[in-house]
Amino acid sequence: MISLLKSKGLKRGLLAGLGMLLALLIYGLLQLIEPIGITPISANATVQFTGQALLVASDADMVATAYADAQLDRVAGIEDALTIVGLPLNAKQPAIASVQVSNSVMSWPQIIAVSPDGQRAYVAEVRSRPADGIQSFDDIDQMPPGEKITVVDIADRSQPKVLETVKVGRNPEHLSLSPNGRFLAVNLNEPGKELLIAQIKADGTLGHRTYFPVETEGTREDNQTAIWHPSGQYLAMIQAKNRRLGFYRVQTANEEINLTPVTDSLPLGNHLSHPRFTADGRFVLVTDLKWSLHTIPIFNHLLNPKGELIAVQFEPNLGKAPQVVSRVEVGLSPEGFALNPDNSLIATVNMRRTYLPNFLPAWRGKPYSSLSLVPFDPSTGQLTQGKEYGFEGLLAEQVTFDTSGNALAVVIYNYREPSPQTGAIEFWAVKAGKSPKLERTGYKLEVVRGAHDIFLVP
C-alpha cells in the first residue's frame, strides 16, 4: 500500500512537473509574437515643435542593456551631458548645444528641473561616473553613488554653462522645483535624510537646506519621486517600495520649513514610477510598471504584464481623502508620461522589455519601445483606453508635448548596435479630435548617447 501511494504520488508529481513545463513552453512561444508593430512614417506629417527649448539628460556611462548584464560598453571621449535644443524647432538647421553634466539613468525620469523664468536648470547626479577603464560590474547596482546637484545657466541656449555643482547627500534621485521657483525638493537615498528641500537664492544657486526623515509603514525604503502641487502648498511622493502615494503639507516661513502628512499614504500599485499633478492640482497621475509581481527577480522583467496609468483625486481643501478615480492599461514598462497643455491627452512612453541583453533570443518587448496615447477628462479624472504606437530604440523613458499640444518628442537611450555612440529625440505629430492619434514624422535629432530624460521649457 505504501509503495502504491508513493507510486501514485510520483506520477502526480511528474504530471504536475510536465504540466508546468508545457505551460512555460507555451508561454515562451507566445513571447515570440509581437502584438504591437512598428508605426509607419506618415508622408503627410509635418515636423514642428514650439516652446523655448528642450533639455535632454544623457548618461554616457552605460548602455541600455547594462541593466540586464552589467556590461557598460563605455566609449572613450563620450561623457554625460545636458543638451539644449532651441525652439521653435528649425528642422533644417536645428540649434543644439550641450554641456558636460554628471547624471544617471538609474532613477525615474525626473532628474531635470527648470526655474520659472527658464534661465536656470537643475540636474540630479543620481549615480556618479565609474573610474576610467571600468567596463563592467558583477551587478549594475555596483555603479558608484552620486551626491551632487548641478546648476546650469541656460539663458543663452547656444552656450549653456555650469554655475555650480553642490554635494547634497547620497544618490540624489529626483528633483521638483516649487511653482514659484523658491524651493527645490530632492529625493535622497540616505537614512534619516530621505527628502531635502533646498531654498533657491536670487542668482539661482542653492541656499539653505532642510533635510527630512520620511517614514511609511515603519520603513524608509524607496521614499522617492516627490512632486510639488501647483499651489506650492503640498508635495506628493511615491513611497514604500514604489507601492504607495503619500501627500504632505509644506509650510514655509523665512528659512523655516515644516512638512506634515496630509493623511495616511494611499496603497496604489505594484511598482509605481513618478507622479504628475494636473494643471489645476485636482488630480495626480502616475504609472505602474508592475515590476514586482514575482518573488524571483528575473521574472519581474521577463514576465511583467502591461502597465497602468492611474488617476488619483486630491482635493484636501474640500475635506476629501485622496482616492483612485480611474485606471487604464497602457504598454509594457511605462516609466515616463506627459500631459498636453489643456490636459485632455496623456502620452505614456513604454520601454517595454528593451533592457533585455543582446544574447537573449527573441522575446516579446525586446526589439522596440512604444507610446500610448490616452484621452483624459480633466474635470472628472476619467482615463480612456487609447492606441499604442511602436518605434525603434531602446530604453525610451520620457516624453513631452510642445506648447501647442500638436507635437510630441520622445527620447531614445540608444539603438541596438555595437558600442552605440548616440541617442536620439524622435518627433511625432498629434492629431486631436474625437479619436485622437499620433503620426510618426520620422524626424530625429541625434544627441549624446544615453538620453533618458527630456524637459520642455515652455
Side-chain angles (χ1 to χ4, degrees), residues 4-18:
L4 180 63
L5 288 172
K6 286 184 177 178
S7 175
K8 286 182 177 179
L10 180 62
K11 286 180 180 178
R12 289 195 203 98
L14 286 172
L15 286 172
L18 285 171

Side-chain angles (χ1 to χ4, degrees), residues 353-402:
R353 298 179 183 133
T354 54
Y355 41 73
L356 293 177
N358 297 327
F359 63 75
L360 190 75
W363 196 260
R364 182 182 295 178
K366 178 189 170 186
Y368 48 84
S369 302
S370 72
L371 290 163
S372 296
L373 189 65
V374 178
F376 177 65
D377 186 337
S379 63
T380 65
Q382 289 302 305
L383 300 157
T384 303
Q385 185 80 46
K387 297 180 180 178
E388 191 172 353
Y389 304 81
F391 63 95
E392 297 91 345
L394 310 188
L395 219 64
E397 291 199 2
Q398 194 54 286
V399 64
T400 184
F401 287 88
D402 74 345

